[in-house]
Amino acid sequence: MAQLLTLQGGKPLEGTVKVRGAKNLVPKAMVASLLGSEPSQLRNVPEIKDVDIVTSLLTIHGVKVDADPATGDLTLDPRQAYSAEHSEVDAHAGDSRIPILFCGPLMHKTGEAFIPDLGGCRIGDRPIDYHLEVLRTFGAVVDKGPTGIHISAPKGLHGVKLDLPYPSVGATEQVLLTAVLAEGITELKNAAVEPEIHDLIAVLQQMGAIITVYTDRTIRIEGVTKLGGYKHRAIPDRNESASWASAALVTRGDIYVQGAVQRDLSAFLNTYRKIGGEFSVDDDGIRFWHAGGTLKPLVLETDVHPGFMTDWQQPMVVALTQAEGVSIVHETVYEERFGFTEALQRMGASIQLHRECLGSNPCRFGQRNFLHSAVISGASELRGTDIDVPDLRGGFSHLIAAMAAQGTSRVTGIEIINRGYEKFVDKITGLGADVELSRV
Ligand code: EPZ
């Protein structure tokens, strides 16, 4: 039976929420443990679906995973790792995109990897061509079959020179997880340099890898012959933090996000201040609140780090529906990340989507017929409505809008939100939202 969340909006969210390890780091650090010859320990692990999926995938490959959900401590022992049955990989991969990152570690560990057709959020085409090209360059043989991709390295994996067409987070992680045990030196140009990439590098360095990050998006990896385990506390989830910050603004509330880190949210905090949000930072987190009065409109473009992250765009668009005047948002990372605005329009927001690039950042989508720019006119009074969640960030943004709206919203498809927001129903309830969870 599916879950239905019924929300009565119009109440400011107030109180404290705790944010644990980043969804976009923890599963990758778990995959990295496969490369070691000793057990690893990961701390600050949240209870989210992506962690469950990777736990299952590691387990069917012979990695012993022990979790203590209360403390968030995870022990991963790869010493008995082996190849899994293709049907089992298929059954456990769920709708995650993480399986593609098993390729390098599995080839090093067992000589081969099988990757089923991938899922992930419906926010664009989300191809894996960079990943496959990277793996081929290292010397892997890629065979596409009817149910997935079989990858092997009959002649071993060798260090290479690579230049990514775009600073893809996943492709950069693919290179790191493959190059650390490849023979020789790998040089990657145009790499992603998100904080989660630096945290993965910290994990790999603890295991014995030799990795240098240069200021021009170049990463140099000197292959070693053996890696050990790691003991690491995962970087906190900056995307969840930004979502709570937007929730405070939209509901005219006041939320202390325990675990939020200023350094990783720099571009977000600048924007938050420009729109009229207030924040104060201490050693344990960041307090976000609405200062009263009206919010100011903005011109905003998403970008790779250190720019304004695409995962912050959706909650920020909800906040912009409450700003007095016209805002423009140009999405340059994913071509179809405005699908969630359809529900906001039904709630009373005024949002027009455009195919043109309404911004100056170089963008891959301008001449390709994608509705990737938004013009938002505010402030709009939002009304509750029925919503079926389209994707992770869009879904949480719908909840934010519903909590600010007048009247009742009935939200289905909330299972998607569990992929990245730990115990979000308990958290919004704790902040004073009027919600009821039922089965339909
Ligand atoms: C990661 O996705 C995150 N997911 C995304 O988080 C995040 O939005 C994204 O990085 C950008 O920061 C995880 O870490 C699990 P990319 P990833 O490769 O690695 C194109 C969230 O809500 N591309 O940096 O898959 C791609 O289509 C999410 O938490 C190719 O063309 O993103 C996109 O336009 C969703 N070919 C761009 O690159 C490829 O082979 C950036 O994607 C790979 C990517």
Side-chain angles (χ1 to χ4, degrees):
M1 273 168 89
Q3 291 184 314
L4 168 72
L5 193 66
T6 307
L7 298 101
Q8 306 290 340
K11 285 173 77 177
L13 294 189
E14 286 170 351
T16 298
V17 284
K18 185 174 177 182
V19 166
R20 296 207 281 182
K23 161 195 161 275
N24 290 349
L25 174 276
V26 167
K28 291 110 182 234
M30 292 172 70
V31 175
S33 72
L34 249 180
L35 292 160
S37 53
E38 291 156 27
S40 291
Q41 286 173 24
L42 188 58
R43 298 192 303 280
N44 205 25
V45 174
E47 287 182 76
I48 53 173
K49 193 168 160 223
D50 275 16
V51 169
D52 295 342
I53 290 174
V54 180
T55 300
S56 303
L57 286 170
L58 286 170
T59 306
I60 60 167
H61 284 97
V63 178
K64 197 169 170 302
V65 184
D66 289 312
D68 181 344
T71 60
D73 292 351
L74 211 59
T75 305
L76 307 120
D77 185 348
R79 284 176 294 188
Q80 308 294 330
Y82 47 73
S83 288
E85 292 292 327
H86 292 189
S87 57
E88 269 200 293
V89 180
D90 208 8
H92 288 87
D95 54 4
S96 169
R97 290 181 62 77
I98 305 295
I100 188 76
L101 294 177
F102 276 71
C103 291
L106 279 178
M107 277 193 291
H108 286 303
K109 201 78 179 181
T110 69
E112 59 161 3
F114 169 72
I115 309 302
D117 286 338
L118 297 177
C121 283
R122 288 168 277 148
I123 51 181
D125 196 23
R126 305 197 76 184
I128 53 168
D129 51 334
Y130 302 165
H131 293 257
L132 299 183
E133 190 50 36
V134 157
L135 289 163
R136 284 193 187 100
T137 314
F138 275 107
V141 176
V142 178
D143 290 317
K144 289 190 188 170
T147 54
I149 299 166
H150 181 260
I151 300 176
S152 57
K155 294 187 181 161
L157 296 164
H158 304 281
V160 284
K161 280 192 188 299
L162 292 156
D163 195 346
L164 290 177
Y166 185 77
S168 151
V169 169
T172 300
E173 292 160 344
Q174 186 74 263
V175 172
L176 289 168
L177 292 166
T178 306
V180 283
L181 282 179
E183 189 266 319
I185 293 170
T186 295
E187 189 183 86
L188 174 64
K189 289 191 182 296
N190 207 24
V193 290
E194 270 64 7
E196 293 79 13
I197 298 274
H198 284 281
D199 214 38
L200 181 62
I201 290 173
V203 162
L204 293 168
Q205 188 178 49
Q206 276 199 43
M207 296 175 81
I210 301 171
I211 303 171
T212 311
V213 183
Y214 297 93
T215 49
D216 64 348
R217 292 193 178 276
T218 300
I219 301 180
R220 187 175 193 270
I221 305 130
E222 297 175 41
V224 296
T225 52
K226 194 177 175 190
L227 293 173
Y230 66 81
K231 286 186 184 170
H232 184 73
R233 183 177 172 81
I235 187 177
D237 198 311
R238 64 199 175 109
N239 298 336
E240 185 183 347
S241 300
S243 298
W244 291 118
S246 296
L249 206 53
V250 180
T251 65
R252 302 181 81 85
D254 187 336
I255 302 177
Y256 179 69
V257 184
Q258 193 185 342
V261 174
Q262 179 184 13
R263 182 197 54 221
D264 301 336
L265 284 162
S266 183
F268 178 83
L269 294 173
N270 286 338
T271 304
Y272 201 74
R273 178 162 282 156
K274 283 198 259 179
I275 189 177
E278 296 275 358
F279 62 89
S280 68
V281 179
D282 67 28
D283 288 351
D284 294 326
I286 306 179
R287 178 184 158 210
F288 297 95
W289 71 98
H290 190 299
T294 55
L295 297 181
K296 294 186 273 296
L298 284 178
V299 174
L300 185 63
E301 295 184 81
T302 64
D303 204 351
V304 294
H305 189 76
F308 189 93
M309 199 181 175
T310 172
D311 296 343
W312 304 333
Q313 177 260 103
Q314 290 147 307
M316 186 52 76
V317 163
V318 183
L320 290 173
T321 67
Q322 302 307 300
E324 288 285 346
V326 176
S327 298
I328 296 174
V329 181
H330 181 210
E331 168 62 60
T332 74
V333 180
Y334 288 111
E335 64 273 34
E336 288 180 32
R337 217 169 188 180
F338 282 124
F340 77 108
T341 58
E342 182 271 330
L344 297 182
Q345 291 181 56
R346 280 194 286 110
M347 295 177 87
S350 169
I351 303 174
Q352 281 135 23
L353 301 183
H354 296 270
R355 293 185 165 79
E356 292 76 13
C357 296
L358 299 183
S360 55
N361 276 358
C363 170
R364 296 160 294 150
F365 313 133
Q367 305 306 321
R368 295 174 49 204
N369 218 18
F370 295 114
L371 292 165
H372 71 294
S373 295
V375 176
I376 305 144
S377 309
S380 303
E381 186 167 309
L382 300 176
R383 301 178 300 274
T385 190
D386 289 355
I387 301 167
D388 190 34
V389 166
D391 66 81
L392 175 69
R393 306 289 165 204
F396 193 80
S397 304
H398 288 154
L399 296 189
I400 296 175
M403 288 186 289
Q406 293 302 318
T408 307
S409 294
R410 291 160 48 88
V411 188
T412 49
I414 59 166
E415 294 78 5
I416 297 176
I417 303 177
N418 288 327
R419 281 194 44 218
Y421 292 87
E422 182 180 38
K423 297 189 174 154
F424 67 93
V425 177
D426 292 347
K427 288 183 182 175
I428 56 177
T429 307
L431 292 171
D434 187 348
V435 294
E436 191 188 312
L437 194 58
S438 54
R439 302 260 168 200
V440 284

